[in-house]
């Protein structure tokens, strides 16, 4: 059995898809167990190749209560906590980054300035496991009962500093509605009030707010069949990448070179204003790298990705 630790969120899981698929191909006859939060189960099904999901919401409990796995793979972090959690499962072999604090020196060194997809593909490549960093596509879910062709605006995000100002999301929603987009707002249950406030400021009805009303499978289906997604650097942006859905992703303060969509995919446009001096930030609200992004820049980026979609559709026809 192969035990893989990735006890994080949506974006973390999607950026690990190439590594998970590489492990599936490298160990075709063995059970592949993923230690990750149980709420990710609908998305794990869309990744494919995972035989068992072991509910692991953090690093404070054993990741595996069963017999020792033949191989344990740390796709969670640099250690030492994650290394020790997997070592406690007594694996025959551990694949992980070197970490002297955890007493593990077998793996490659950790590089801080690296894209998340490349990080885990590079780890496996160091151990001789062939990887394909472009293998990001997710399985398409059932869309029964869900709207298609909508524009998804996701004003929230787990980290408030990474959110574009709510009033600009409202202005964007008004502008896109005027252009003929059917705008819907997504988010978690905790973000429902935020999404509802943005919708109200945009003059859109409560029925446009799906935040807190969709599980992860329904959110994936909505994104997979959307016209456009606009969000900050959060999980829904990675879903758009996985489905090739046109997207505009607003980055800050973390640079897109670490978490952004592949730069060679023109359906995804990244906006980033991180070259200035932001040391005067007071720590309240949106980080200045987000506040610096103007509405007209976002609308121009929307025009760009929609133009790409039209051209690619014409070529395919």
């Amino acid at each position: 059995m192969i035990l893989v630790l990735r006890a994080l969120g949506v974006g973390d899981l999607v950026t690990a898809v190439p590594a998970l698929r590489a492990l599936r191909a490298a160990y075709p006859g063995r059970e592949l167990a993923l230690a990750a939060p149980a709420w990710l189960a609908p998305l794990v099904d869309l990744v494919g190749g995972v035989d068992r999901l072991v509910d692991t919401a953090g690093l404070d409990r054993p990741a595996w209560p069963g017999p020792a796995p033949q191989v344990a793979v740390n796709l969670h972090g640099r250690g030492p906590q994650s290394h020790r959690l997997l070592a406690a499962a007594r694996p025959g072999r551990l694949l992980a980054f070197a970490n002297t604090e955890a007493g593990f020196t077998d793996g490659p060194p950790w590089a801080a300035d690296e894209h998340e997809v490349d990080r885990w593909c590079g780890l496996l490549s160091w151990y001789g496991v062939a990887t394909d960093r472009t293998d990001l596509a997710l399985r398409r879910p059932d869309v029964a009962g869900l709207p298609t062709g909508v524009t998804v605006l996701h004003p929230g995000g787990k980290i408030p500093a990474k959110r574009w100002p709510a009033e600009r999301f409202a202005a964007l929603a008004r502008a896109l509605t005027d252009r003929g987009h059917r705008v819907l707002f997504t988010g978690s249950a905790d973000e429902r009030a935020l999404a509802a406030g943005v919708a109200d400021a945009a003059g859109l009805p409560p029925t446009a707010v799906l935040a807190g009303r969709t599980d992860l499978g329904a959110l994936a289906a909505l994104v997979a069949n959307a016209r456009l997604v606009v969000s900050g650097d959060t999980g829904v942006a990675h879903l758009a990448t996985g489905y090739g859905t046109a997207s505009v992703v607003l980055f800050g303060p973390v640079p897109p070179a670490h978490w952004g969509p592949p730069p060679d995919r023109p359906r995804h446009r990244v906006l980033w204003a991180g070259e200035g001096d932001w040391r005067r930030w007071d720590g309240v609200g949106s980080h200045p790298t987000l506040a610096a992004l103007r509405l007209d820049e976002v609308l121009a980026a929307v025009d760009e990705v929609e133009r790409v979609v039209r051209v690619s559709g014409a070529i395919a026809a």
Side-chain angles (χ1 to χ4, degrees):
M1 189 270 294
I2 312 302
L3 177 62
V4 182
L5 177 64
R6 188 71 168 167
L8 296 163
V10 172
D12 308 280
L13 177 59
V14 177
T15 52
V17 165
L20 288 169
R21 297 224 174 106
L23 289 168
R24 176 72 289 162
Y27 300 101
R30 298 187 188 178
E31 180 184 29
L32 181 62
L34 175 63
W39 61 269
L40 285 173
L43 186 55
V44 172
D45 290 341
L46 299 174
V47 172
V50 175
D51 300 302
R52 188 191 313 191
L53 178 61
V54 182
D55 185 13
T56 308
L59 302 180
D60 57 344
R61 290 183 297 170
W64 178 244
Q70 291 98 334
V71 179
V73 185
N74 189 349
L75 299 184
H76 185 93
R78 64 190 300 178
Q81 297 95 328
S82 51
H83 285 43
R84 291 169 179 159
L85 190 70
L86 287 174
R90 307 176 309 280
R93 187 184 188 196
L94 175 62
L95 310 187
F97 285 101
N99 187 291
T100 55
E101 188 177 349
F104 185 79
T105 58
D106 176 58
W110 175 277
D113 191 17
E114 189 172 25
H115 194 281
E116 191 73 0
V117 173
D118 294 328
R119 183 186 310 286
W120 306 113
C121 286
L123 171 67
L124 296 184
S125 296
W126 194 90
Y127 284 103
V129 176
T131 62
D132 177 4
R133 76 169 317 279
T134 68
D135 189 12
L136 291 163
L138 297 168
R139 293 176 176 174
R140 300 193 74 82
D142 182 11
V143 298
L146 291 169
T148 61
V150 301
T151 289
V152 174
L153 300 190
H154 193 93
K158 181 171 58 177
I159 302 173
K162 296 170 71 174
R163 298 174 181 174
W164 199 39
E167 63 272 16
R168 292 190 206 170
F169 260 114
L172 175 64
R174 288 193 298 271
L176 292 177
T177 300
D178 289 344
R179 293 182 177 192
H181 291 245
R182 181 187 175 189
V183 173
L184 297 179
F185 299 91
T186 57
S188 67
D190 291 340
E191 295 163 350
R192 180 162 178 77
L194 169 64
V198 173
D200 183 65
L204 294 174
T207 52
V209 180
L210 298 185
R213 293 181 174 175
T214 56
D215 62 16
L216 187 52
L219 177 63
L222 192 69
V223 171
N225 295 278
R227 171 180 176 175
L228 171 72
V229 172
V230 182
S231 76
D233 170 24
T234 191
V236 72
H238 296 284
L239 291 177
T241 299
Y243 288 115
T245 299
S247 65
V248 176
V249 189
L250 315 178
F251 265 85
V254 178
H258 292 175
W259 285 91
D264 59 347
R265 299 191 183 190
R267 284 176 176 248
H268 312 296
R269 179 79 164 83
V270 166
L271 294 181
W272 158 246
E275 301 303 324
D277 182 1
W278 311 115
R279 290 172 294 181
R280 296 183 180 181
W281 183 47
D282 60 7
V284 178
S286 302
H287 191 274
T289 50
L290 270 300
L293 299 176
R294 305 187 312 273
L295 174 62
D296 64 315
E297 293 179 276
V298 178
L299 288 170
V302 168
D303 289 339
E304 289 179 19
V305 296
E306 294 221 291
R307 189 179 305 114
V308 169
V309 171
R310 287 195 299 272
V311 170
S312 60
I315 293 174

